[in-house]
Amino acid sequence: MSNAFIEMLKNRRTIYNLGDSLSVSHDHISQLVKDAVKHSPSSFNSQTSRVVILFGEQHKKLWDLTKETLRAIVPAGSFAATEQKIDSFAAGAGSILFFEDLNVVKGLQEKFAAYADNFPIWSEQSSGMAQLAVWSALAEENIGASLQHYNPLIDNFVAKEWHIPEHWLLRAQMVFGSINAPAGDKDFMDDEQRFRIYQ
Ligand SMILES: Cc1cc2nc3c(=O)[nH]c(=O)nc-3n(C[C@H](O)[C@H](O)[C@H](O)COP(=O)(O)O)c2cc1C
């Protein structure tokens, strides 16, 4: 079966070996991210996702500060591996920080009390949808990316450094850049174990 969207989904992979040379402008990437997030769905069309894009030196600052944060808690003997990993992120061209606006979630909980327990869950789901859209859109431009989760460890310095409102909750960091090495093969479990079709 051939379907353009499925091909795009297949084209999105986790790329760890990233470089900082980009064949498109920062403006182009920023617009791509905006469009991908804007056109992703959210519960009640609440548009809870917030995004900060860091390019170049700002991106490097994110990973330098992450490294220093980790240095304080990772045992010295195993820090070399941590450092190598963080340096590989810093070697990319930029990072996209995904947040969810907790004020909007709280407002929805108050307004629609019957669904109160669901709004935080739907907020997380909306964030995941926005992340997939951005990741896939980048892949279409031949820009590699990986998804990282150093929150909540890095929340304080991120908030301070980039003036993040206290009601924005950091959910993920997407590192992107030129693709130095493609992803390897991926294993898939049997469809029979995942899908049931009745007709
Ligand atoms: C919700 C979620 C959380 C993930 N967290 C991380 C992470 O913290 N670090 C990381 O390197 N990869 C992370 N990944 C990437 C997965 O490991 C990766 O998507 C998976 O192994 C499939 O490989 P693919 O992305 O190449 O298709 C995450 C993916 C998802 C969907």
Side-chain angles (χ1 to χ4, degrees):
M1 189 186 75
S2 169
N3 174 291
F5 180 68
I6 300 298
E7 293 312 310
M8 284 181 210
L9 279 179
K10 288 183 189 170
N11 191 40
R12 180 225 51 82
R13 294 295 311 279
T14 293
I15 307 293
Y16 289 117
N17 194 338
L18 295 170
D20 65 358
S21 58
L22 290 172
S23 54
V24 293
S25 68
H26 290 184
D27 279 354
H28 184 89
I29 292 175
S30 301
Q31 194 58 51
L32 206 63
V33 172
K34 284 184 194 172
D35 286 343
V37 172
K38 203 167 165 174
H39 296 289
S40 293
S42 59
S43 66
F44 287 57
N45 195 27
S46 53
Q47 299 165 59
T48 44
S49 297
R50 305 286 178 266
V51 170
V52 171
I53 309 173
L54 305 173
F55 289 104
E57 288 309 310
Q58 297 290 316
H59 150 82
K60 289 196 191 316
K61 190 189 276 181
L62 170 73
W63 295 108
D64 279 352
L65 292 171
T66 301
K67 198 202 287 192
E68 293 322 308
T69 305
L70 288 167
R71 199 192 297 277
I73 56 164
V74 174
S78 52
F79 190 69
T82 300
E83 184 166 36
Q84 203 178 15
K85 195 162 144 190
I86 300 299
D87 287 348
S88 76
F89 302 145
S95 296
I96 302 161
L97 309 181
F98 289 88
F99 300 83
E100 285 292 292
D101 190 330
L102 299 184
N103 273 0
V104 178
V105 176
K106 194 161 160 268
L108 287 163
Q109 288 179 303
E110 285 163 6
K111 197 168 169 198
F112 304 101
Y115 300 116
D117 291 348
N118 281 323
F119 285 114
I121 298 167
W122 288 337
S123 161
E124 294 296 305
Q125 292 175 351
S126 298
S127 179
M129 292 189 191
Q131 291 166 37
L132 175 65
V134 169
W135 201 346
S136 304
L138 291 174
E140 278 307 291
E141 304 277 329
N142 208 28
I143 297 169
S146 84
L147 189 63
Q148 302 304 322
H149 296 91
Y150 287 90
N151 49 292
L153 211 59
I154 64 172
D155 289 18
N156 286 345
F157 83 69
V158 167
K160 190 161 163 267
E161 203 63 45
W162 291 287
H163 313 290
I164 307 298
E166 52 82 31
H167 54 278
W168 288 22
L169 182 65
L170 181 60
R171 305 316 292 134
Q173 305 82 53
M174 189 172 287
V175 192
F176 63 90
S178 40
I179 301 175
N180 285 341
D185 289 340
K186 184 159 85 162
D187 290 333
F188 294 97
M189 60 190 285
D190 290 340
D191 282 359
E192 288 68 31
Q193 289 171 37
R194 298 188 79 178
F195 308 106
R196 295 181 185 190
I197 299 160
Y198 299 93
Q199 55 195 338

